[in-house]
Amino acid sequence: VQLQASGGGSVQAGGSLRLSCAASGRTFSNYARGWFRQAPGKEREFVATISGKFGGTRYADSVKGRFTISKDNAENTVYLQMNSLKPEDTAVYYCAAEAIVYTDYRRWSYWGQGTLVTVSS
């Protein structure tokens, strides 16, 4: 079972990036999928989740209105479209999968390796 995150990079403030998280080894179509991030010296934090059954979404207040999480069940892939990026969005972004949606990262079982997003002012 593997989650592979990609799409990170360096952008200027106001720019956009699209992260992808592809799953292999099993299907996660009925699983919740999530994005979390960890800035240097800080604890990992919730960014966005999408439920497995109905595709309901949740966002951290800090990214609401700027980020959009979506999934393609056929491709076993989840995406995070990030617009209007700010320097405070700089972090390593991790994708995760779990049977139920949680905002607490400690309750998620499956993790990707992380992809770095750097936003310069």
Side-chain angles (χ1 to χ4, degrees), residues 21-50:
C21 179
S24 61
R26 66 167 292 166
T27 179
F28 286 104
S29 59
N30 292 324
Y31 270 56
R33 305 287 292 275
W35 287 98
F36 297 79
R37 66 187 182 187
Q38 188 165 16
K42 294 188 177 181
E43 190 175 13
R44 192 169 299 190
E45 64 176 4
F46 155 72
V47 175
T49 60
I50 186 166

Side-chain angles (χ1 to χ4, degrees), residues 27-34 49-58 69 71-73 76 78 96-102 108:
T27 179
F28 286 104
S29 59
N30 292 324
Y31 270 56
R33 305 287 292 275
T49 60
I50 186 166
S51 69
K53 191 172 183 180
F54 298 111
T57 57
R58 297 180 67 177
I69 188 171
K71 63 176 180 174
D72 183 335
N73 284 338
N76 219 9
V78 65
E98 183 53 69
I100 300 173
V101 171
Y102 298 107
W108 291 69

